[in-house]
Amino acid sequence: MQKFDPSERIHDYLVFGEFGDVNPSITDSSTYTFMSPDKMEELFEHEIEGCFLYSRHWNPINKYLSNALARFEDTESAQVTGSGMSAINCAIMQICNAGDEIISSHTIYGGTYALFKNFLPKFDIKVHFVDITNLEEVKSKITDKTKVIYCETISNPLLEIANIPELAKLTKEAGAKLVVDNTFAPMIVSPSRLGADVVIHSMTKYVNGTSDCVAGCICSTKEFIDSLNDINSGASMLLGPVLDSFRAASILKNLHSLHIRVQRHSKNGAFFAQKFRGLGIKTYYPGFEDHKGYELLKSMMNEGFGFGGMLAIDVNDLESANKLMTMMQEEKVGYLAVSLGYFKTLFSSPGHSTSSEIPADEQEKIGLGKGLVRFSVGLDNNIENSFARVEKCLKELKLV
Ligand SMILES: *Cc1c(COP(=O)(O)O)cnc(C)c1O
């Protein structure tokens, strides 16, 4: 695979504001004037470069952010949305019709799981949940109704790795689209270069990195993104999850520091993972050489960004997990909160929060232990000190 550096693509994307400002001007308007009615009519028919109609359709700052994201994921085009869930929804609704089928990993974000399991059946879209690391199982579910194969690059919360190149082959043979949620692995993996047709991010997480807003994006071919924006039939235009332009402006600024943040999240994540394991705690981290997906992830990774800042430990039972999280917050390790990719460490118990949409028996089947604590390790400068605080909690609770 040819070397690719997503950060370089963002670095080389220069946009100026109205007066040569170093940041592009923020669009403070919902609608745009036309010098002639003819031009307006033309815009209803097709896109005109640099010409805007109405901010739910497109607005300049959202276009700038989308362009930067397309460069970063190495796709022809991209579209920002008001949340990660709306990005997933728009992509799925655009591709699938009633009667179609989706094959999805069963270890996905709880909200996506609930959408697939509880909501899509209302539209007669059937989802088969599979162990995405088992390609034979994926293959066995393919029918002529299959329109989407869906996975997360690094899955939530057990950090399993999807074999994107192999899944892309299966998807292509099936005449379907491979949709990959890359929220856990920005910079680290570039799914479109490995054959994914559509790449999704919840920008709420790492891409923005300051936990101050909810946002999403869809990166794909120009044809697909244009179809999402079609005035008469586009899911994004008609379902309407437009991202606010002030937020788009702030996310664009944060995107420029993403490479440094990911490097530090990875460094700190690896440190925590090794220390936990050193204490004899069951630890899930894809940077461990004996992790099931280690070699696969290595083969898909861009150089220099590490294995990410997400890890999970299992302290056996929910009571211990709850005590540990409460104490870690008191000791200022970070916050007991869902979400990830924040500059501070966040921890939560997936079975009772982000994966609670997944029924208990299913949780057990996929190996989601009751004592699981998921960490999104922060940007701490003194990570040794941060772990010393964690260790103090573990010892006081007699967990080590
Ligand atoms: C948070 C998250 C989502 C949903 O994104 P929102 O921005 O909260 O709508 C989807 N996928 C993954 C992997 C996530 O972590």
Side-chain angles (χ1 to χ4, degrees), residues 250-265:
S250 73
I251 296 169
L252 180 56
K253 282 173 277 196
N254 286 358
L255 184 64
H256 284 270
S257 62
L258 179 61
H259 59 297
I260 302 172
R261 290 187 279 116
V262 170
Q263 284 164 351
R264 178 53 73 99
H265 282 301

Side-chain angles (χ1 to χ4, degrees), residues 5 16 18 39 41 72 88 114 121 142 152 160 163 232 285 294 301 317 323 343 346 348 393:
D5 181 355
F16 301 98
E18 202 178 351
K39 202 76 179 168
E41 205 179 318
F72 146 70
I88 295 165
I142 295 176
E152 295 174 3
E160 287 170 346
N163 191 332
N232 295 306
Y285 183 65
Y294 173 81
M301 275 162 73
D317 58 274
K323 279 187 186 157
F343 47 75
L346 301 178
S348 59
C393 300

Side-chain angles (χ1 to χ4, degrees), residues 278-352:
L279 291 173
I281 288 181
K282 187 167 183 192
T283 308
Y284 299 87
Y285 183 65
F288 285 147
E289 281 180 32
D290 57 2
H291 181 278
K292 209 176 109 204
Y294 173 81
E295 288 298 334
L296 173 62
L297 180 55
K298 265 197 98 165
S299 73
M300 299 195 298
M301 275 162 73
N302 295 317
E303 234 171 77
F305 298 102
F307 290 88
M310 298 302 298
L311 61 104
I313 60 168
D314 197 338
V315 291
N316 299 321
D317 58 274
L318 181 63
E319 200 193 337
S320 302
N322 285 345
K323 279 187 186 157
L324 175 64
M325 292 190 296
T326 308
M327 195 180 265
M328 285 194 300
Q329 182 161 255
E330 285 163 5
E331 291 295 326
K332 301 189 174 66
V333 174
Y335 293 114
L336 198 185
V338 298
S339 200
L340 54 124
Y342 186 41
F343 47 75
K344 284 199 176 294
T345 298
L346 301 178
F347 36 84
S348 59
S349 160
H352 289 260

Side-chain angles (χ1 to χ4, degrees), residues 34 38 43 65 96 100 136 151 178 188 216 246 328 337 387 393:
F34 287 80
D38 299 349
L43 193 56
L65 176 58
C96 294
D100 288 344
E136 286 308 313
C151 66
L178 178 60
I188 299 168
F246 284 87
M328 285 194 300
F387 196 82
C393 300

